[in-house]
Coordinates of all heavy atoms in Angstrom, one line a residue:
W7 N 8.2 18.4 -4.4 CA 7.4 19.0 -5.4 C 7.8 18.5 -6.9 O 7.1 18.5 -7.8 CB 7.3 20.5 -5.4 CG 6.7 21.0 -4.2 CD1 7.2 21.5 -3.1 CD2 5.3 20.8 -3.9 NE1 6.2 21.8 -2.1 CE2 5.0 21.4 -2.7 CE3 4.2 20.3 -4.6 CZ2 3.8 21.4 -2.1 CZ3 2.9 20.3 -4.1 CH2 2.6 20.9 -2.8
T11 N 5.5 14.4 -5.5 CA 4.1 14.8 -5.8 C 3.8 14.3 -7.3 O 2.7 13.7 -7.5 CB 3.9 16.3 -5.7 OG1 4.2 16.6 -4.3 CG2 2.5 16.6 -6.1
A13 N 5.1 11.8 -8.9 CA 5.1 10.3 -8.9 C 3.7 9.9 -8.2 O 3.0 8.9 -8.7 CB 6.2 9.8 -8.1
I16 N 0.8 10.2 -10.8 CA 0.9 9.1 -11.7 C 0.3 7.8 -11.0 O -0.4 7.1 -11.7 CB 2.3 8.9 -12.3 CG1 2.7 10.1 -13.1 CG2 2.4 7.5 -13.0 CD1 4.3 10.0 -13.4
L18 N -2.1 7.6 -8.7 CA -3.5 7.7 -8.7 C -4.1 7.4 -10.1 O -5.2 6.8 -10.2 CB -4.0 8.9 -8.1 CG -3.6 9.2 -6.6 CD1 -4.0 10.6 -6.2 CD2 -4.0 8.1 -5.7
V19 N -3.5 8.0 -11.1 CA -4.0 7.8 -12.5 C -3.8 6.3 -12.9 O -4.8 5.7 -13.4 CB -3.2 8.7 -13.4 CG1 -3.7 8.3 -14.9 CG2 -3.5 10.2 -13.2
M45 N 4.7 4.1 -7.4 CA 4.6 4.1 -5.9 C 6.1 4.0 -5.3 O 6.3 4.6 -4.3 CB 3.8 2.9 -5.5 CG 2.4 3.0 -5.5 SD 1.8 4.2 -4.2 CE 2.0 3.2 -2.7
I62 N 10.2 11.2 12.0 CA 10.2 9.6 12.2 C 8.9 9.0 11.7 O 8.9 8.0 11.0 CB 10.5 9.3 13.6 CG1 11.8 9.9 14.0 CG2 10.5 7.8 13.8 CD1 13.0 9.4 13.3
M72 N 5.8 0.9 1.5 CA 6.8 0.3 0.6 C 6.9 -1.2 0.7 O 6.8 -2.0 -0.3 CB 8.2 0.9 0.8 CG 9.2 0.3 -0.3 SD 10.9 1.0 0.1 CE 10.5 2.8 -0.3
T74 N 4.3 -3.1 1.7 CA 3.0 -3.7 1.1 C 3.0 -3.7 -0.4 O 2.6 -4.6 -1.0 CB 1.7 -2.9 1.7 OG1 1.8 -1.6 1.3 CG2 1.6 -3.1 3.2
H83 N 4.1 -11.4 -9.1 CA 5.4 -11.8 -9.9 C 5.7 -13.2 -10.0 O 5.9 -13.8 -11.0 CB 6.6 -11.0 -9.4 CG 7.9 -11.5 -10.0 ND1 8.2 -11.0 -11.4 CD2 9.0 -12.1 -9.6 CE1 9.4 -11.4 -11.6 NE2 9.9 -12.2 -10.6
F103 N 10.8 -3.7 11.2 CA 10.0 -2.6 11.2 C 9.1 -2.7 12.6 O 8.9 -1.7 13.3 CB 9.0 -2.5 10.1 CG 8.0 -1.5 10.1 CD1 8.3 -0.2 9.7 CD2 6.8 -1.6 10.7 CE1 7.4 0.8 9.7 CE2 5.8 -0.6 10.8 CZ 6.1 0.6 10.3
A119 N 2.1 11.2 19.3 CA 1.2 10.0 19.1 C 2.0 8.8 19.1 O 2.0 8.0 18.1 CB 0.6 10.3 17.8
A122 N 0.2 5.6 17.8 CA 0.2 5.2 16.4 C 1.3 4.2 16.0 O 1.1 3.3 15.2 CB 0.4 6.4 15.5
A130 N 2.3 -4.7 11.5 CA 3.5 -5.3 10.9 C 3.6 -6.8 11.4 O 4.0 -7.7 10.6 CB 4.8 -4.5 11.4
I131 N 3.2 -7.1 12.6 CA 3.2 -8.5 13.1 C 2.2 -9.4 12.3 O 2.5 -10.4 11.9 CB 2.9 -8.4 14.6 CG1 4.0 -7.9 15.4 CG2 2.7 -9.9 15.0 CD1 5.3 -8.7 15.3
H155 N -2.7 -10.3 -2.7 CA -2.4 -9.2 -3.7 C -3.2 -8.0 -3.6 O -2.7 -6.9 -3.6 CB -2.3 -9.8 -5.1 CG -2.0 -8.8 -6.1 ND1 -0.8 -8.3 -6.4 CD2 -2.9 -8.2 -7.1 CE1 -0.8 -7.5 -7.4 NE2 -2.1 -7.3 -7.8
A169 N -2.0 10.8 1.1 CA -0.9 11.8 0.9 C -1.2 12.8 -0.2 O -0.8 13.9 -0.1 CB 0.3 11.0 0.4
K173 N -1.4 17.0 0.2 CA -0.7 18.0 -0.5 C -1.7 19.0 -0.9 O -1.5 20.2 -1.0 CB -0.1 17.3 -1.8 CG 1.0 16.4 -1.5 CD 2.2 17.2 -0.8 CE 3.4 16.2 -0.5 NZ 3.0 15.2 0.6
M177 N -1.5 23.0 -0.2 CA -1.6 24.0 -1.3 C -2.6 25.1 -1.1 O -2.6 26.2 -1.6 CB -1.8 23.3 -2.6 CG -0.7 22.5 -3.1 SD -1.0 21.6 -4.7 CE -1.3 22.9 -5.8
M185 N -9.8 23.1 8.7 CA -10.6 23.0 7.6 C -12.1 22.7 8.1 O -12.3 22.1 9.1 CB -10.2 21.8 6.6 CG -8.9 22.1 5.9 SD -8.6 20.8 4.7 CE -9.8 21.0 3.5
G187 N -15.9 21.1 7.9 CA -16.3 19.8 7.7 C -16.6 19.4 6.3 O -16.4 18.4 5.8
V194 N -10.9 14.9 1.4 CA -10.3 13.7 2.1 C -11.2 12.5 2.2 O -10.9 11.4 1.8 CB -9.9 14.2 3.6 CG1 -9.2 13.0 4.2 CG2 -8.9 15.4 3.4
I196 N -14.4 11.5 1.1 CA -15.1 10.9 -0.1 C -14.0 10.1 -1.0 O -14.3 9.0 -1.3 CB -15.8 11.9 -1.0 CG1 -17.0 12.3 -0.1 CG2 -16.3 11.3 -2.2 CD1 -17.8 13.4 -0.9
Y207 N -15.3 -4.3 -2.4 CA -16.1 -4.9 -3.5 C -15.3 -6.1 -4.2 O -15.8 -7.2 -4.3 CB -16.4 -3.9 -4.6 CG -16.8 -4.4 -5.9 CD1 -18.1 -4.9 -6.1 CD2 -15.9 -4.5 -7.0 CE1 -18.5 -5.4 -7.3 CE2 -16.3 -5.0 -8.2 CZ -17.6 -5.5 -8.3 OH -18.0 -5.9 -9.5
R218 N -15.5 -17.5 -11.8 CA -15.0 -16.9 -12.9 C -13.9 -15.8 -12.7 O -13.0 -15.6 -13.4 CB -16.2 -16.0 -13.5 CG -15.9 -15.2 -14.7 CD -17.1 -14.4 -15.3 NE -16.8 -13.7 -16.5 CZ -16.3 -12.5 -16.4 NH1 -16.1 -11.9 -15.3 NH2 -16.0 -11.8 -17.5
L220 N -11.5 -16.1 -10.4 CA -10.3 -16.7 -10.2 C -9.6 -17.0 -11.6 O -8.4 -16.9 -11.7 CB -10.5 -18.0 -9.4 CG -10.5 -17.9 -7.9 CD1 -10.8 -19.2 -7.3 CD2 -9.2 -17.3 -7.5

Side-chain angles (χ1 to χ4, degrees):
W7 295 109
T11 301
I16 295 172
L18 295 179
V19 173
M45 275 292 292
I62 301 297
M72 183 179 293
T74 58
H83 177 69
F103 176 93
I131 291 298
H155 175 73
K173 295 297 180 294
M177 289 175 66
M185 293 183 71
V194 180
I196 290 179
Y207 163 79
R218 180 177 181 276
L220 276 176

